[in-house]
Amino acid sequence: MIHRYVAILALLPLMGNAYAAGSTPQALLLAQDAVIVDTHIDAPTELVAEWQDLGALTPSREFDYPRAREGGLDVAFMSIYTSPDEDRLGTARQIANLQIDAVEAMAGRHPDKFALLTSPRDVERLRAGKHVLLALGMENGAPLGDDLAQLAKFHARGVRYITLAHSASNRISDSSYDRNHQWQGLSPFGKQVIAEMNRLGIMVDVSHLSDAATLQAVQLSRVPVIASHSGLRHFTPGFERNLSDELAKAIAAKGGVVQLTFGIGFVNRQAADDLQAKFTARAAFDARNAEATQAGKPLEDAAAFEKEWQRTHPIPETPITAVLDQIDYAVKLIGIDHVGLGSDFDGVSGNLPEGLRNVADYPNLVAGLQARGYKDDDLRKILGTNLLRVWAAVEAGSEHPQR
Ligand SMILES: [Zn+2]
């Protein structure tokens, strides 16, 4: 939109250090003008755990309204996340609903700043009012329980994608982090879930899934699927949480989009190796304690284990080029129409690359890609329109595409 260009040009002399961290005036312009969609921001979990007013600058968090505007973020998918523990305890559905309440309250408190977004058709109209648009993505299908009817209920509450599983195999699907691949992919219930998601117009998200589950989901879905926040295994060999070349290609061949994530654990090989080693060490620790329990012997201290692990495995410093390299590789592998962004802000304990630490930083990414020769029209696709295209296709493929 041209009037935003003009407005930002007028502001440039006042912006001072805004682009000192690696951005440029051209990058700031494009970040403001393009539709930026980020498909994974963990603000709701944080809101419920320790409430903050995200309409105001909140330096202890990675998402808030002032910095979203500064970074040009238009559509922020709020992650409605529940853990395998909450699934086991039967609290996942309640927690998910409370997180949705928290997002609604945030939008309701600041109707001048935030607007809830449930359809890609509303993006242009709503962003014209300087709103940051809040869409809902559910991370982990645990809140569904074994009840297919929950899908329509969460759809009615605004949920527009579901990551079928998180860090453990659940009723729907196997997880990449879980050595127990109980379903060899999707469960029979999981296959019904995908059909119902297609019918309702909820995007299927394959991030976190095992390889077999990812491939089955891509094949089974009638419409394109997304990976809402994944890295590429090319850079982190053996790390199943990141997509193999073959799976990235399969998602693209179906018309879908791979939303690349920023967390150091996903884009830095050492960090990914450490994470996998930790899973192994922690499994051994748990097994020793299970044996000790059986034998009536004293248990090892879990907090001490975690502390020692962190001391001996510091998070490696990682430059923004690690993310730029992933984008470059993905564009060459699967094409410019199938790559997007899913930061995982507020979801990786601050373990983010230099220059890509919160929602004010998208211009740094834009500047890095412009320096590598990306044209603005191609950058617009990566920044947001690819995801909006897939969302529109999923909506069009649903049973009630007309509202
Ligand atoms: Zn995640």
Side-chain angles (χ1 to χ4, degrees):
M1 279 184 302
I2 201 70
H3 64 273
R4 295 185 84 186
Y5 255 124
V6 175
I8 195 80
L9 273 174
L11 277 173
L12 279 177
L14 308 173
M15 292 181 85
N17 290 326
Y19 47 84
S23 190
T24 62
Q26 300 95 295
L28 277 177
L29 279 174
L30 184 64
Q32 288 296 324
D33 191 62
V35 178
I36 298 185
V37 180
D38 187 325
T39 42
H40 204 86
I41 296 179
D42 273 300
T45 321
E46 299 277 293
L47 268 180
V48 170
E50 189 191 342
W51 186 84
Q52 301 264 11
D53 181 1
L54 299 182
L57 185 65
T58 313
S60 62
R61 299 285 161 82
E62 289 152 9
F63 170 84
D64 60 41
Y65 178 80
R67 287 179 296 169
R69 289 290 299 165
E70 187 185 337
L73 176 60
D74 294 284
V75 178
F77 271 85
M78 299 280 99
S79 173
I80 305 303
Y81 166 72
T82 55
S83 69
D85 277 349
E86 289 157 354
D87 192 6
R88 192 169 42 78
L89 294 169
T91 57
R93 186 174 302 159
Q94 173 69 5
I95 289 168
N97 278 297
L98 290 178
Q99 289 182 21
I100 296 171
D101 283 353
V103 175
E104 288 178 347
M106 180 162 68
R109 194 178 299 113
H110 298 290
D112 53 332
K113 293 177 176 164
F114 295 117
L116 300 171
L117 180 71
T118 56
S119 169
R121 283 179 280 185
D122 297 333
V123 169
E124 279 305 327
R125 177 174 59 81
L126 291 173
R127 80 191 269 266
K130 299 187 176 164
H131 287 90
V132 171
L133 311 183
L134 306 174
L136 300 180
M138 176 179 276
E139 181 173 35
N140 195 353
L144 305 179
D146 53 13
D147 180 9
L148 219 50
Q150 289 297 319
L151 280 166
K153 292 184 179 172
F154 281 113
H155 179 267
R157 292 215 68 185
V159 170
R160 290 297 180 269
Y161 79 69
I162 298 177
T163 319
L164 301 180
H166 185 248
S167 52
S169 180
N170 65 11
R171 295 173 194 80
I172 299 169
S173 173
D174 290 336
S175 160
S176 59
Y177 284 164
D178 192 340
R179 288 301 98 206
N180 169 31
H181 286 181
Q182 61 173 328
W183 307 113
Q184 304 300 315
L186 299 169
S187 72
F189 176 63
K191 292 173 183 170
Q192 293 180 302
V193 166
I194 288 180
E196 180 68 355
M197 288 170 74
N198 286 171
R199 189 183 74 80
L200 291 164
I202 302 174
M203 290 181 276
V204 173
D205 176 16
V206 299
S207 287
H208 280 287
L209 305 189
S210 68
D211 282 355
T214 299
L215 191 59
Q216 289 169 21
V218 171
Q219 290 171 342
L220 202 61
S221 178
R222 283 193 289 106
V223 287
V225 308
I226 67 168
S228 71
H229 61 305
S230 286
L232 299 173
R233 203 175 304 164
H234 173 78
F235 295 92
T236 58
F239 188 37
E240 193 177 357
R241 169 69 179 85
N242 279 344
L243 292 167
S244 68
D245 285 7
E246 288 66 33
L247 289 173
K249 283 186 193 167
I251 292 167
K254 187 94 181 190
V257 61
V258 173
Q259 302 284 99
L260 293 168
T261 197
F262 303 168
I264 289 175
F266 305 95
V267 301
N268 181 300
R269 181 171 182 170
Q270 182 63 54
D273 285 350
D274 287 351
L275 189 59
Q276 292 177 88
K278 188 184 172 187
F279 288 149
T280 306
R282 181 64 204 229
F285 172 92
D286 290 340
R288 286 198 302 277
N289 269 355
E291 253 176 53
T293 304
Q294 287 278 327
K297 290 181 178 161
L299 302 187
E300 293 177 53
D301 181 40
F305 169 88
E306 292 293 330
K307 201 172 164 199
E308 179 61 10
W309 186 271
Q310 281 168 25
R311 192 185 67 77
T312 50
H313 300 81
I315 302 296
E317 286 283 317
T318 301
I320 193 171
T321 50
V323 176
L324 301 177
D325 291 347
Q326 296 239 349
I327 293 172
D328 260 346
Y329 185 83
V331 168
K332 289 189 182 98
L333 182 72
I334 60 177
I336 192 78
D337 293 324
H338 303 285
V339 181
L341 307 176
S343 64
D344 219 346
F345 284 138
D346 285 322
V348 290
S349 309
N351 295 322
L352 289 153
E354 182 75 29
L356 209 45
R357 296 217 156 118
N358 63 63
V359 292
D361 288 341
Y362 302 104
N364 296 338
L365 193 80
V366 172
L369 292 171
Q370 285 175 328
R372 291 184 181 204
Y374 283 78
K375 300 285 174 270
D376 283 6
D377 283 349
D378 284 341
L379 285 173
R380 287 174 196 273
K381 294 181 174 184
I382 296 172
L383 292 172
T385 53
N386 284 340
L387 188 282
L388 295 180
R389 180 199 74 231
V390 171
W391 190 359
V394 170
E395 199 179 69
S398 71
E399 195 176 273
H400 302 289
Q402 302 302 323
R403 287 179 300 163

